[in-house]
Amino acid sequence: MAKTTAGISLQQLHYFVEVAAEGSISAAADLLYVSQPTMSAAMKDLETRVGRALLIRSARGVTLTADGTEFLGYARQVVEQVALLEQRYLGRPPARRLLGVSTQHYSFAVDAFVRMVRSFGAAEYEFSLRETRTWDIIEDVRTLRSEIGILYRDDVNRNVIDKLLRDAGLAFHPLFFAEPHIFISRKNPLAARGRATLDDLADLPRLTFDQGANNSFYLAEEILSTLSAKQEIRVSDRATIFNLMIGLGGYTISTGIISDDLDPEIVAVPLDVDERIEIGWIGQASLGLTEQAQRYLDEVRGVVSGFGVEVLG
């Protein structure tokens, strides 16, 4: 695609950011109150100006090319900085679309998100929080559907996770190390124990988060996923897994960090195994974080440190 010498307008960058976020030229046009032909023409002109294909168009909408993903990172930074200038010197309200986070099923990630939104203080905003599968977290951050992903590594999955991140142009940044715990109902007899062993779990249903078509143990959310279990139930969301802990006496293995405010019926009991869980955030390797993303990570660190866990970085 031939590049022109004409410059890129701020309006085109703003349009492009919204098209990428909506995954649709027509949806972005509706959101910004412009006609679909105008938006489509603006995207074609932008691609001509940069001399690269940024969007893959299909009947289902648009997705970003590799060049488009890289371009979006820079475009978002420019649009955000202009918005900050306008807020400070022109009294403009903050942009509604502020931050996307994709995470494995951790209550501390939700607790931090709650704190961030409460402290934001604006009358209008648009955040997104996706508790989802490991593969989808990586894809969300790769395509900048989310700016930040939260997931874990250990000695079993480290090489696979690191390769997936490298191939996607992403980087892993450690947040903290956690000792493995089991999450169980307060009514479970093990709740009164100081520690639990693998033998204690032998006759209990093991509850794990389903990873869909990518159901490899390398992408599991739970450590020790290579060990067999006599009873296992895969679920897709955190509310369901908690209900099964209460109703069936099941357990899952996680960090031990759980909010009483968000999950009052569930307790964490240390698991007596020689393992550690490394929790970190992932982001685009070549791009810096937005101010709102930094705020969210600060809230994560605050939540975690409140449980006596040493925060890294």
PDB file of all heavy atoms in Angstrom, residues 130-155:
ATOM      1  N   ARG A 130     -12.880  -8.341  32.157  1.00  0.00           N
ATOM      2  CA  ARG A 130     -13.232  -9.662  31.643  1.00  0.00           C
ATOM      3  C   ARG A 130     -12.509 -10.739  32.437  1.00  0.00           C
ATOM      4  O   ARG A 130     -11.283 -10.810  32.404  1.00  0.00           O
ATOM      5  CB  ARG A 130     -12.828  -9.771  30.157  1.00  0.00           C
ATOM      6  CG  ARG A 130     -13.820  -9.139  29.225  1.00  0.00           C
ATOM      7  CD  ARG A 130     -13.269  -8.987  27.814  1.00  0.00           C
ATOM      8  NE  ARG A 130     -12.592 -10.159  27.278  1.00  0.00           N
ATOM      9  CZ  ARG A 130     -13.205 -11.199  26.703  1.00  0.00           C
ATOM     10  NH1 ARG A 130     -14.519 -11.224  26.610  1.00  0.00           N
ATOM     11  NH2 ARG A 130     -12.501 -12.205  26.208  1.00  0.00           N
ATOM     12  N   GLU A 131     -13.255 -11.539  33.195  1.00  0.00           N
ATOM     13  CA  GLU A 131     -12.699 -12.749  33.773  1.00  0.00           C
ATOM     14  C   GLU A 131     -12.864 -13.839  32.726  1.00  0.00           C
ATOM     15  O   GLU A 131     -13.993 -14.209  32.382  1.00  0.00           O
ATOM     16  CB  GLU A 131     -13.441 -13.127  35.059  1.00  0.00           C
ATOM     17  CG  GLU A 131     -13.073 -12.280  36.249  1.00  0.00           C
ATOM     18  CD  GLU A 131     -13.623 -12.858  37.544  1.00  0.00           C
ATOM     19  OE1 GLU A 131     -14.701 -13.473  37.528  1.00  0.00           O
ATOM     20  OE2 GLU A 131     -12.969 -12.682  38.583  1.00  0.00           O
ATOM     21  N   THR A 132     -11.761 -14.348  32.220  1.00  0.00           N
ATOM     22  CA  THR A 132     -11.872 -15.204  31.047  1.00  0.00           C
ATOM     23  C   THR A 132     -10.761 -16.246  31.016  1.00  0.00           C
ATOM     24  O   THR A 132      -9.969 -16.371  31.950  1.00  0.00           O
ATOM     25  CB  THR A 132     -11.885 -14.335  29.769  1.00  0.00           C
ATOM     26  OG1 THR A 132     -12.206 -15.132  28.634  1.00  0.00           O
ATOM     27  CG2 THR A 132     -10.546 -13.623  29.558  1.00  0.00           C
ATOM     28  N   ARG A 133     -10.684 -16.988  29.913  1.00  0.00           N
ATOM     29  CA  ARG A 133      -9.718 -18.068  29.763  1.00  0.00           C
ATOM     30  C   ARG A 133      -8.321 -17.519  29.493  1.00  0.00           C
ATOM     31  O   ARG A 133      -8.161 -16.425  28.965  1.00  0.00           O
ATOM     32  CB  ARG A 133     -10.155 -18.969  28.606  1.00  0.00           C
ATOM     33  CG  ARG A 133     -11.509 -19.621  28.836  1.00  0.00           C
ATOM     34  CD  ARG A 133     -12.076 -20.164  27.549  1.00  0.00           C
ATOM     35  NE  ARG A 133     -13.316 -20.905  27.779  1.00  0.00           N
ATOM     36  CZ  ARG A 133     -14.145 -21.290  26.819  1.00  0.00           C
ATOM     37  NH1 ARG A 133     -13.865 -20.990  25.557  1.00  0.00           N
ATOM     38  NH2 ARG A 133     -15.237 -21.952  27.116  1.00  0.00           N
ATOM     39  N   THR A 134      -7.329 -18.312  29.807  1.00  0.00           N
ATOM     40  CA  THR A 134      -5.933 -17.887  29.664  1.00  0.00           C
ATOM     41  C   THR A 134      -5.622 -17.475  28.229  1.00  0.00           C
ATOM     42  O   THR A 134      -5.020 -16.418  27.989  1.00  0.00           O
ATOM     43  CB  THR A 134      -4.994 -19.016  30.110  1.00  0.00           C
ATOM     44  OG1 THR A 134      -5.324 -19.406  31.447  1.00  0.00           O
ATOM     45  CG2 THR A 134      -3.543 -18.582  30.045  1.00  0.00           C
ATOM     46  N   TRP A 135      -6.011 -18.309  27.269  1.00  0.00           N
ATOM     47  CA  TRP A 135      -5.750 -17.989  25.865  1.00  0.00           C
ATOM     48  C   TRP A 135      -6.414 -16.670  25.472  1.00  0.00           C
ATOM     49  O   TRP A 135      -5.816 -15.847  24.774  1.00  0.00           O
ATOM     50  CB  TRP A 135      -6.247 -19.126  24.978  1.00  0.00           C
ATOM     51  CG  TRP A 135      -6.035 -18.895  23.509  1.00  0.00           C
ATOM     52  CD1 TRP A 135      -6.877 -18.258  22.639  1.00  0.00           C
ATOM     53  CD2 TRP A 135      -4.878 -19.261  22.743  1.00  0.00           C
ATOM     54  NE1 TRP A 135      -6.338 -18.213  21.385  1.00  0.00           N
ATOM     55  CE2 TRP A 135      -5.109 -18.828  21.413  1.00  0.00           C
ATOM     56  CE3 TRP A 135      -3.693 -19.916  23.054  1.00  0.00           C
ATOM     57  CZ2 TRP A 135      -4.181 -19.029  20.394  1.00  0.00           C
ATOM     58  CZ3 TRP A 135      -2.771 -20.125  22.031  1.00  0.00           C
ATOM     59  CH2 TRP A 135      -3.019 -19.680  20.733  1.00  0.00           C
ATOM     60  N   ASP A 136      -7.651 -16.451  25.937  1.00  0.00           N
ATOM     61  CA  ASP A 136      -8.374 -15.234  25.576  1.00  0.00           C
ATOM     62  C   ASP A 136      -7.761 -13.996  26.221  1.00  0.00           C
ATOM     63  O   ASP A 136      -7.813 -12.902  25.649  1.00  0.00           O
ATOM     64  CB  ASP A 136      -9.844 -15.356  25.987  1.00  0.00           C
ATOM     65  CG  ASP A 136     -10.589 -16.391  25.159  1.00  0.00           C
ATOM     66  OD1 ASP A 136     -10.142 -16.672  24.032  1.00  0.00           O
ATOM     67  OD2 ASP A 136     -11.608 -16.930  25.633  1.00  0.00           O
ATOM     68  N   ILE A 137      -7.180 -14.167  27.409  1.00  0.00           N
ATOM     69  CA  ILE A 137      -6.482 -13.029  28.030  1.00  0.00           C
ATOM     70  C   ILE A 137      -5.336 -12.574  27.138  1.00  0.00           C
ATOM     71  O   ILE A 137      -5.159 -11.378  26.872  1.00  0.00           O
ATOM     72  CB  ILE A 137      -5.952 -13.421  29.422  1.00  0.00           C
ATOM     73  CG1 ILE A 137      -7.107 -13.679  30.391  1.00  0.00           C
ATOM     74  CG2 ILE A 137      -5.033 -12.332  29.989  1.00  0.00           C
ATOM     75  CD1 ILE A 137      -6.680 -14.324  31.691  1.00  0.00           C
ATOM     76  N   ILE A 138      -4.549 -13.533  26.679  1.00  0.00           N
ATOM     77  CA  ILE A 138      -3.416 -13.200  25.806  1.00  0.00           C
ATOM     78  C   ILE A 138      -3.900 -12.553  24.516  1.00  0.00           C
ATOM     79  O   ILE A 138      -3.339 -11.549  24.051  1.00  0.00           O
ATOM     80  CB  ILE A 138      -2.585 -14.464  25.526  1.00  0.00           C
ATOM     81  CG1 ILE A 138      -1.942 -14.970  26.831  1.00  0.00           C
ATOM     82  CG2 ILE A 138      -1.510 -14.204  24.474  1.00  0.00           C
ATOM     83  CD1 ILE A 138      -1.272 -16.318  26.714  1.00  0.00           C
ATOM     84  N   GLU A 139      -4.972 -13.086  23.927  1.00  0.00           N
ATOM     85  CA  GLU A 139      -5.521 -12.512  22.698  1.00  0.00           C
ATOM     86  C   GLU A 139      -6.085 -11.116  22.937  1.00  0.00           C
ATOM     87  O   GLU A 139      -5.920 -10.223  22.104  1.00  0.00           O
ATOM     88  CB  GLU A 139      -6.613 -13.426  22.141  1.00  0.00           C
ATOM     89  CG  GLU A 139      -6.090 -14.564  21.301  1.00  0.00           C
ATOM     90  CD  GLU A 139      -5.361 -14.055  20.055  1.00  0.00           C
ATOM     91  OE1 GLU A 139      -6.030 -13.537  19.140  1.00  0.00           O
ATOM     92  OE2 GLU A 139      -4.125 -14.158  20.019  1.00  0.00           O
ATOM     93  N   ASP A 140      -6.758 -10.915  24.067  1.00  0.00           N
ATOM     94  CA  ASP A 140      -7.310  -9.591  24.376  1.00  0.00           C
ATOM     95  C   ASP A 140      -6.216  -8.534  24.439  1.00  0.00           C
ATOM     96  O   ASP A 140      -6.378  -7.423  23.934  1.00  0.00           O
ATOM     97  CB  ASP A 140      -8.052  -9.624  25.720  1.00  0.00           C
ATOM     98  CG  ASP A 140      -9.422 -10.269  25.629  1.00  0.00           C
ATOM     99  OD1 ASP A 140      -9.860 -10.580  24.507  1.00  0.00           O
ATOM    100  OD2 ASP A 140     -10.054 -10.460  26.687  1.00  0.00           O
ATOM    101  N   VAL A 141      -5.106  -8.878  25.080  1.00  0.00           N
ATOM    102  CA  VAL A 141      -4.023  -7.901  25.216  1.00  0.00           C
ATOM    103  C   VAL A 141      -3.268  -7.756  23.896  1.00  0.00           C
ATOM    104  O   VAL A 141      -2.851  -6.657  23.527  1.00  0.00           O
ATOM    105  CB  VAL A 141      -3.078  -8.295  26.363  1.00  0.00           C
ATOM    106  CG1 VAL A 141      -1.945  -7.285  26.508  1.00  0.00           C
ATOM    107  CG2 VAL A 141      -3.854  -8.397  27.681  1.00  0.00           C
ATOM    108  N   ARG A 142      -3.122  -8.842  23.163  1.00  0.00           N
ATOM    109  CA  ARG A 142      -2.448  -8.765  21.862  1.00  0.00           C
ATOM    110  C   ARG A 142      -3.187  -7.818  20.920  1.00  0.00           C
ATOM    111  O   ARG A 142      -2.573  -7.025  20.212  1.00  0.00           O
ATOM    112  CB  ARG A 142      -2.355 -10.146  21.223  1.00  0.00           C
ATOM    113  CG  ARG A 142      -1.599 -10.172  19.885  1.00  0.00           C
ATOM    114  CD  ARG A 142      -1.655 -11.516  19.206  1.00  0.00           C
ATOM    115  NE  ARG A 142      -2.984 -11.814  18.711  1.00  0.00           N
ATOM    116  CZ  ARG A 142      -3.471 -11.344  17.547  1.00  0.00           C
ATOM    117  NH1 ARG A 142      -2.746 -10.556  16.782  1.00  0.00           N
ATOM    118  NH2 ARG A 142      -4.693 -11.681  17.157  1.00  0.00           N
ATOM    119  N   THR A 143      -4.502  -7.899  20.919  1.00  0.00           N
ATOM    120  CA  THR A 143      -5.309  -7.069  20.020  1.00  0.00           C
ATOM    121  C   THR A 143      -5.709  -5.744  20.655  1.00  0.00           C
ATOM    122  O   THR A 143      -6.458  -4.970  20.055  1.00  0.00           O
ATOM    123  CB  THR A 143      -6.579  -7.817  19.597  1.00  0.00           C
ATOM    124  OG1 THR A 143      -7.367  -8.120  20.764  1.00  0.00           O
ATOM    125  CG2 THR A 143      -6.245  -9.113  18.875  1.00  0.00           C
ATOM    126  N   LEU A 144      -5.240  -5.499  21.885  1.00  0.00           N
ATOM    127  CA  LEU A 144      -5.535  -4.279  22.634  1.00  0.00           C
ATOM    128  C   LEU A 144      -7.014  -4.112  22.936  1.00  0.00           C
ATOM    129  O   LEU A 144      -7.490  -3.006  23.148  1.00  0.00           O
ATOM    130  CB  LEU A 144      -4.980  -3.039  21.906  1.00  0.00           C
ATOM    131  CG  LEU A 144      -3.464  -2.868  22.022  1.00  0.00           C
ATOM    132  CD1 LEU A 144      -2.966  -1.767  21.110  1.00  0.00           C
ATOM    133  CD2 LEU A 144      -3.060  -2.573  23.457  1.00  0.00           C
ATOM    134  N   ARG A 145      -7.752  -5.215  22.937  1.00  0.00           N
ATOM    135  CA  ARG A 145      -9.095  -5.163  23.501  1.00  0.00           C
ATOM    136  C   ARG A 145      -8.997  -4.824  24.974  1.00  0.00           C
ATOM    137  O   ARG A 145      -9.859  -4.131  25.528  1.00  0.00           O
ATOM    138  CB  ARG A 145      -9.801  -6.507  23.307  1.00  0.00           C
ATOM    139  CG  ARG A 145     -11.209  -6.554  23.900  1.00  0.00           C
ATOM    140  CD  ARG A 145     -11.891  -7.884  23.653  1.00  0.00           C
ATOM    141  NE  ARG A 145     -13.265  -7.847  24.110  1.00  0.00           N
ATOM    142  CZ  ARG A 145     -14.119  -8.867  24.028  1.00  0.00           C
ATOM    143  NH1 ARG A 145     -13.709 -10.007  23.483  1.00  0.00           N
ATOM    144  NH2 ARG A 145     -15.347  -8.759  24.469  1.00  0.00           N
ATOM    145  N   SER A 146      -7.968  -5.346  25.615  1.00  0.00           N
ATOM    146  CA  SER A 146      -7.625  -4.975  26.985  1.00  0.00           C
ATOM    147  C   SER A 146      -6.183  -4.486  27.010  1.00  0.00           C
ATOM    148  O   SER A 146      -5.344  -5.000  26.277  1.00  0.00           O
ATOM    149  CB  SER A 146      -7.779  -6.159  27.940  1.00  0.00           C
ATOM    150  OG  SER A 146      -9.132  -6.537  28.079  1.00  0.00           O
ATOM    151  N   GLU A 147      -5.918  -3.496  27.852  1.00  0.00           N
ATOM    152  CA  GLU A 147      -4.548  -2.993  27.959  1.00  0.00           C
ATOM    153  C   GLU A 147      -3.710  -3.885  28.869  1.00  0.00           C
ATOM    154  O   GLU A 147      -2.496  -4.013  28.676  1.00  0.00           O
ATOM    155  CB  GLU A 147      -4.564  -1.565  28.504  1.00  0.00           C
ATOM    156  CG  GLU A 147      -3.196  -0.916  28.517  1.00  0.00           C
ATOM    157  CD  GLU A 147      -3.229   0.534  28.949  1.00  0.00           C
ATOM    158  OE1 GLU A 147      -4.339   1.093  29.088  1.00  0.00           O
ATOM    159  OE2 GLU A 147      -2.152   1.108  29.157  1.00  0.00           O
ATOM    160  N   ILE A 148      -4.354  -4.503  29.859  1.00  0.00           N
ATOM    161  CA  ILE A 148      -3.661  -5.302  30.862  1.00  0.00           C
ATOM    162  C   ILE A 148      -4.311  -6.681  30.954  1.00  0.00           C
ATOM    163  O   ILE A 148      -5.539  -6.810  30.877  1.00  0.00           O
ATOM    164  CB  ILE A 148      -3.731  -4.616  32.245  1.00  0.00           C
ATOM    165  CG1 ILE A 148      -2.855  -3.367  32.266  1.00  0.00           C
ATOM    166  CG2 ILE A 148      -3.300  -5.556  33.359  1.00  0.00           C
ATOM    167  CD1 ILE A 148      -3.006  -2.581  33.540  1.00  0.00           C
ATOM    168  N   GLY A 149      -3.479  -7.695  31.144  1.00  0.00           N
ATOM    169  CA  GLY A 149      -3.961  -9.028  31.477  1.00  0.00           C
ATOM    170  C   GLY A 149      -3.330  -9.478  32.785  1.00  0.00           C
ATOM    171  O   GLY A 149      -2.178  -9.137  33.070  1.00  0.00           O
ATOM    172  N   ILE A 150      -4.074 -10.229  33.582  1.00  0.00           N
ATOM    173  CA  ILE A 150      -3.573 -10.759  34.847  1.00  0.00           C
ATOM    174  C   ILE A 150      -3.608 -12.282  34.767  1.00  0.00           C
ATOM    175  O   ILE A 150      -4.678 -12.865  34.541  1.00  0.00           O
ATOM    176  CB  ILE A 150      -4.423 -10.301  36.050  1.00  0.00           C
ATOM    177  CG1 ILE A 150      -4.542  -8.778  36.108  1.00  0.00           C
ATOM    178  CG2 ILE A 150      -3.845 -10.858  37.349  1.00  0.00           C
ATOM    179  CD1 ILE A 150      -3.289  -8.057  36.505  1.00  0.00           C
ATOM    180  N   LEU A 151      -2.439 -12.918  34.948  1.00  0.00           N
ATOM    181  CA  LEU A 151      -2.394 -14.379  34.930  1.00  0.00           C
ATOM    182  C   LEU A 151      -1.201 -14.875  35.733  1.00  0.00           C
ATOM    183  O   LEU A 151      -0.438 -14.080  36.281  1.00  0.00           O
ATOM    184  CB  LEU A 151      -2.367 -14.914  33.492  1.00  0.00           C
ATOM    185  CG  LEU A 151      -1.386 -14.311  32.481  1.00  0.00           C
ATOM    186  CD1 LEU A 151       0.023 -14.808  32.715  1.00  0.00           C
ATOM    187  CD2 LEU A 151      -1.818 -14.690  31.066  1.00  0.00           C
ATOM    188  N   TYR A 152      -1.053 -16.197  35.796  1.00  0.00           N
ATOM    189  CA  TYR A 152       0.005 -16.754  36.632  1.00  0.00           C
ATOM    190  C   TYR A 152       0.964 -17.623  35.823  1.00  0.00           C
ATOM    191  O   TYR A 152       0.637 -18.116  34.747  1.00  0.00           O
ATOM    192  CB  TYR A 152      -0.593 -17.585  37.782  1.00  0.00           C
ATOM    193  CG  TYR A 152      -0.661 -19.072  37.514  1.00  0.00           C
ATOM    194  CD1 TYR A 152       0.352 -19.927  37.954  1.00  0.00           C
ATOM    195  CD2 TYR A 152      -1.715 -19.631  36.799  1.00  0.00           C
ATOM    196  CE1 TYR A 152       0.303 -21.288  37.698  1.00  0.00           C
ATOM    197  CE2 TYR A 152      -1.779 -20.983  36.544  1.00  0.00           C
ATOM    198  CZ  TYR A 152      -0.765 -21.813  36.985  1.00  0.00           C
ATOM    199  OH  TYR A 152      -0.808 -23.151  36.723  1.00  0.00           O
ATOM    200  N   ARG A 153       2.165 -17.779  36.376  1.00  0.00           N
ATOM    201  CA  ARG A 153       3.150 -18.721  35.847  1.00  0.00           C
ATOM    202  C   ARG A 153       3.651 -19.592  36.998  1.00  0.00           C
ATOM    203  O   ARG A 153       3.622 -19.190  38.155  1.00  0.00           O
ATOM    204  CB  ARG A 153       4.367 -17.991  35.253  1.00  0.00           C
ATOM    205  CG  ARG A 153       4.110 -17.120  34.075  1.00  0.00           C
ATOM    206  CD  ARG A 153       5.398 -16.597  33.436  1.00  0.00           C
ATOM    207  NE  ARG A 153       6.297 -15.939  34.374  1.00  0.00           N
ATOM    208  CZ  ARG A 153       7.364 -15.219  34.016  1.00  0.00           C
ATOM    209  NH1 ARG A 153       7.650 -15.072  32.731  1.00  0.00           N
ATOM    210  NH2 ARG A 153       8.132 -14.654  34.912  1.00  0.00           N
ATOM    211  N   ASP A 154       4.116 -20.797  36.634  1.00  0.00           N
ATOM    212  CA  ASP A 154       4.853 -21.625  37.581  1.00  0.00           C
ATOM    213  C   ASP A 154       5.876 -22.437  36.795  1.00  0.00           C
ATOM    214  O   ASP A 154       6.058 -22.227  35.586  1.00  0.00           O
ATOM    215  CB  ASP A 154       3.923 -22.500  38.421  1.00  0.00           C
ATOM    216  CG  ASP A 154       3.206 -23.571  37.608  1.00  0.00           C
ATOM    217  OD1 ASP A 154       3.425 -23.674  36.382  1.00  0.00           O
ATOM    218  OD2 ASP A 154       2.408 -24.322  38.214  1.00  0.00           O
ATOM    219  N   ASP A 155       6.544 -23.349  37.446  1.00  0.00           N
ATOM    220  CA  ASP A 155       7.599 -24.107  36.779  1.00  0.00           C
ATOM    221  C   ASP A 155       7.061 -24.995  35.665  1.00  0.00           C
ATOM    222  O   ASP A 155       7.792 -25.338  34.731  1.00  0.00           O
ATOM    223  CB  ASP A 155       8.358 -24.958  37.800  1.00  0.00           C
ATOM    224  CG  ASP A 155       9.181 -24.110  38.761  1.00  0.00           C
ATOM    225  OD1 ASP A 155       9.477 -22.953  38.401  1.00  0.00           O
ATOM    226  OD2 ASP A 155       9.514 -24.603  39.854  1.00  0.00           O
TER     227      ASP A 155
END
